[in-house]
Every structure is written in structure tokens, then in C-alpha cells.
């Protein structure tokens, strides 16, 4: 089975992170790929990281979370996420 890493930078996403994880769960159930999702919290000022961890308890895919100490911007957060990938498909 093929494996896929997905990098998702998040910033102040407390309201949208739950629906995002639900959609990834739905897709993972139907997919023939093994998914590993790397969430990079780019120094959010809200409860994004806490809510992310709560929703990931119900995830049916593998994941990693990275919490940056401050906001470095989307490009840097994405690049940091890429450095944590393990699979050929990203």
C-alpha cells in the first residue's frame, strides 16, 4: 500500500480544525493510501493546538503535531512540516 504525507500549517484555526479533521477522516476511510498528516501550528494565539489535539483523539489516520513558539508565516511552517516527512509521496 502506498503511503502519503500531508503537511498542513494552521494558524488561529480553532473554528475550522474540527471540520478539517472530519473531512480527512472521511477521506482516509475510503482511501487506499496510508495517510500521515503533519499539522504545524504556526504560533496560534487562540486554542488551535488544544482543539487540534482533542480532535486528533478520534483520528483514523496517523499524524504528527508540531507547535512553533511564534508565528513564522505559512511558507516557513510548511517547510518545517516538510522536514518531518518520511514518505516519497508528499
Amino acid at each position: 500500500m502506498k503511503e502519503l504525507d500531508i503537511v498542513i500549517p494552521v494558524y488561529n484555526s480553532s473554528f475550522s480544525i474540527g471540520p478539517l479533521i472530519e473531512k480527512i477522516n472521511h477521506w482516509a476511510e475510503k482511501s487506499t493510501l496510508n495517510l500521515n498528516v503533519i499539522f504545524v501550528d504556526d504560533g496560534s494565539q487562540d486554542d488551535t493546538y488544544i482543539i487540534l489535539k482533542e480532535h486528533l483523539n478520534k483520528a483514523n489516520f496517523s499524524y504528527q503535531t508540531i507547535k512553533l513558539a511564534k508565528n513564522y508565516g505559512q511558507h516557513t511552517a510548511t517547510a518545517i512540516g516538510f522536514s518531518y516527512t518520511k514518505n516519497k509521496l508528499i
Side-chain angles (χ1 to χ4, degrees), residues 4-8 36-38 40 64 66 78-90:
L4 171 67
D5 285 335
I6 300 172
V7 176
I8 302 177
N36 179 48
V37 182
I38 302 164
V40 182
Q64 295 172 268
I66 302 162
T78 302
I80 290 169
F82 284 162
S83 72
Y84 282 82
T85 61
K86 300 174 192 154
N87 297 310
K88 291 181 182 179
L89 292 174
I90 302 171

Side-chain angles (χ1 to χ4, degrees), residues 35-87:
L35 298 179
N36 179 48
V37 182
I38 302 164
F39 294 93
V40 182
D41 183 343
D42 190 19
S44 294
Q45 300 298 309
D46 63 1
D47 293 331
T48 295
Y49 193 74
I50 294 166
I51 293 169
L52 173 65
K53 295 295 271 185
E54 288 173 358
H55 283 280
L56 287 173
N57 287 332
K58 304 171 205 159
N60 59 7
F61 53 89
S62 65
Y63 62 86
Q64 295 172 268
T65 59
I66 302 162
K67 182 170 177 39
L68 303 180
K70 68 176 194 168
N71 180 262
Y72 290 95
Q74 181 179 357
H75 291 49
T76 301
T78 302
I80 290 169
F82 284 162
S83 72
Y84 282 82
T85 61
K86 300 174 192 154
N87 297 310

